[in-house]
Amino acid sequence: MKMIVRVMSIVIAVRNKLIFLTNPIPPLHKPSPDRPTVILNHQNPGNRAKINSAARVSSKITSRTYPVIKKAPKPIISLTLAAASIISNTVAIPFSALPALASQLQSDIAIERDVRPNFQNPQLQNYCKTDWTRPELLELLSELATHGTLKMRRYSSGGHSAVTVNDDQSLENAIDGLLILHWDRDNIMQAIAEYRASQNPELSKLLGYTSAASNDAALRGLQASVKHHVKHFNRFTKIIEDPSQASNFMLRPHIRYNPISLSEISDPWGHAQNDALAFIAFMIFYMDSASDADQQKLAAIIPHYFKAIQVWQDCDLGAWEDKKAQHSSSIMLAAIAMQQELEYVKKHGPIATTVDGKTWTADQQILQEIVDKCMAALQRILPDEYRIADDTDTRADRSKIRKFDAAHVNALFLNSLSSHRLFDDEMARSLMGNIEKNLMGPIGVARYKTDIWDGRVDRKDLKEHEEAQWSHVSPMMSFVYGEMYLRGKNDNDRVKQSEHFCRSISHINERWKIPEAYIIDPVTRKWISDANEPLAWAQAATTLAFDGMLRTLDQLASSSSSSSSIGTK
């Protein structure tokens, strides 16, 4: 009995703490005396921040106040419910409360840091707000259109470059970092943004498209990836016939290649990126364009490839291409893509293709098998990014377990678009809460703790919270929160959508470009844009954040004539 009382007291304490963490924090507050303060005259961009010696923050900061994070326990909303089920055996543990409760009770105590959005373009700082009207949003979008901030590019092949080539400087940036090349993951993100813009004439116009041209750009982008993989179809079939070949990542389907010819590049690269193939498979059915012969061919073979490599336990390199492990973000994306294809097959029948006299068929059985095995694996791994990793792969990260990773946002983003969501909103809030409390900084979001990549080289000099802060994560989170608001009308989701939208705008630098990330200058120790700008992925994500905000405003206007603004009142 004493043990039960003790456990219940812990449960109550945890519950009270979670109530504090999950309730919306007022958007404005007065800085406390013990909090590091930042003073900056925004009228003079040359002024530098005055900070106390205990704080390590960057040189520009908005007047908009956000909470300073001191402690960051894992935000598992169902934690109390899970504990109660262990005690009484009468309440089922929800999916979001897995894995073991003991793991969830461990909290990560972060060094005190300031995560208020740090505007890099002083002319945009007044756009940091929680209350929006449609005219204000369109005014901001028009201003960005004037400067070409969100202008993306497609080549005649339909391919794209990871760094959008719009002028001489961006061409040099792209060539210098080899980001002139086409990455499947980035390409499909751009295609999704183009496709969503095609459904919103105002957004298309301000991006320099007609709706028809935007849809055409999306389809050409999808086709570019499809054509490449159909051209190299034997990459799939050889590994299906002999799965041991998958251990050589150069023998796997290539996810990075020439954007013009769509041909492979012979230089060594870590092509074991299951999430990138999942993005393509998802997009085929998201655009409902699977009637195309090449798309059907690819849609028929990918499930067999995923089964052959056992995607639910395959050690790929994940979204960041830098760690051989069982990445839960890759497994989530594979499950989402296969579920999207499964819904299509249920309606239209199996998808089959015959190549070199052999027929490959994607039917309900193989698709359901992959989804089920992926979901079973995820119950063992989530909310961590991985728990099993190659011990010999220590270039970028020596950890055997990675608890927090921004790659989860990629999966939550596709999940929010899916016609049959595999991960509920509770899970999405939990994973994004982990990212906010452990990886979010004043200028962007770190990919994971101890990340040493700065867009060009590995940096051994980086200290805690000096990891590169990436620009694409907050806009994607804004979109996901917006989709959750449209489904559930939870005002907390609406506030989060607006806050991450504000962060998205803060990433735009003084050149009106969105860089890949902000990095610590090795000499001055100040935050600066990395050399990869403008990054197509970040442009696409910001476009999608605008799309989400416009649809939220439309929903507010239609639900109540008096509700004309977004955010807190």
Side-chain angles (χ1 to χ4, degrees), residues 332-554:
M332 290 172 75
L333 282 159
I336 292 165
M338 294 299 94
Q339 183 67 44
Q340 190 80 355
E341 183 168 351
L342 176 60
E343 297 305 311
Y344 177 92
V345 167
K346 286 179 179 179
K347 293 180 181 179
H348 304 285
I351 301 172
T353 188
T354 301
V355 178
D356 297 331
K358 186 164 185 176
T359 299
W360 306 92
T361 302
D363 56 21
Q364 291 190 43
Q365 181 178 353
I366 188 172
L367 293 167
Q368 189 67 64
E369 177 186 356
I370 295 170
V371 171
D372 289 345
K373 289 183 176 179
C374 284
M375 296 302 286
L378 290 169
Q379 290 191 43
R380 296 191 299 271
I381 304 172
L382 287 174
D384 299 338
E385 169 64 356
Y386 60 73
R387 294 185 167 198
I388 297 177
D390 184 349
D391 291 339
T392 65
D393 185 356
T394 59
R395 182 195 68 80
D397 184 359
R398 296 178 181 274
S399 64
K400 295 182 179 180
I401 297 176
R402 183 181 295 171
K403 305 187 79 62
F404 314 111
D405 197 311
H408 281 146
V409 173
N410 300 344
L412 296 175
F413 169 70
L414 283 199
N415 184 66
S416 71
L417 296 175
S418 177
S419 59
H420 186 94
R421 291 179 297 111
L422 292 177
F423 307 97
D424 62 19
D425 292 349
E426 182 182 3
M427 171 62 80
R429 293 187 191 99
S430 174
L431 292 176
M432 289 194 293
N434 278 344
I435 292 168
E436 289 167 339
K437 292 175 174 61
N438 294 278
L439 301 177
M440 194 166 72
I443 317 180
V445 177
R447 301 186 302 180
Y448 55 88
K449 291 185 175 183
T450 72
D451 184 9
I452 61 174
W453 181 246
D454 78 347
R456 284 292 188 274
V457 296
D458 287 338
R459 295 276 301 278
K460 301 293 187 179
D461 63 308
L462 297 179
K463 301 175 183 178
E464 188 173 13
H465 305 310
E466 288 188 342
E467 300 92 345
Q469 297 187 23
W470 288 58
S471 301
H472 71 277
V473 183
S474 271
M476 292 178 73
M477 291 174 73
S478 177
F479 183 89
V480 174
Y481 277 118
E483 288 295 298
M484 292 195 298
Y485 169 72
L486 292 176
R487 285 193 301 270
K489 304 302 182 294
N490 184 324
D491 281 338
N492 293 344
D493 293 333
R494 186 160 53 112
V495 171
K496 285 286 191 178
Q497 177 189 16
S498 185
E499 288 182 353
H500 280 285
F501 181 77
C502 171
R503 291 179 57 83
S504 305
I505 303 307
S506 75
H507 301 335
I508 300 169
N509 63 26
E510 68 278 6
R511 294 178 292 280
W512 295 86
K513 307 291 186 185
I514 310 176
E516 176 184 54
Y518 287 88
I519 63 174
I520 288 289
D521 185 287
V523 177
T524 66
R525 313 307 298 179
K526 302 293 185 181
W527 290 103
I528 60 172
S529 300
D530 80 356
N532 302 323
E533 68 171 57
L535 190 76
W537 186 349
Q539 290 176 297
T542 305
T543 299
L544 289 159
F546 270 100
D547 174 56
M549 290 286 287
L550 286 168
R551 287 183 300 106
T552 293
L553 285 171
D554 289 343

Side-chain angles (χ1 to χ4, degrees), residues 94-169:
F95 183 60
S96 60
L98 295 172
L101 177 63
S103 172
Q104 298 294 5
L105 284 171
Q106 295 175 359
S107 62
D108 180 77
I109 308 302
I111 293 176
E112 183 172 337
R113 67 195 192 281
D114 197 330
V115 297
R116 293 172 289 183
N118 184 332
F119 274 75
Q120 300 302 294
N121 186 330
Q123 297 182 57
L124 291 172
Q125 64 189 12
N126 291 333
Y127 286 105
C128 188
K129 55 174 67 179
T130 52
D131 296 328
W132 284 93
T133 65
R134 173 175 271 272
E136 289 172 335
L137 202 62
L138 293 177
E139 176 188 343
L140 172 58
L141 191 53
S142 180
E143 180 72 13
L144 299 186
T146 299
H147 295 278
T149 302
L150 301 179
K151 183 180 180 182
M152 295 174 284
R153 182 174 184 173
R154 292 243 170 248
Y155 301 116
S156 58
S157 64
H160 90 143
S161 295
V163 165
T164 300
V165 177
N166 284 330
D167 52 35
D168 290 345
Q169 185 57 58

Side-chain angles (χ1 to χ4, degrees), residues 12-28:
I12 292 170
V14 170
R15 181 201 61 190
N16 292 339
K17 193 166 189 177
L18 287 172
I19 290 173
F20 169 76
L21 287 171
T22 56
N23 280 342
I25 301 172
L28 297 175

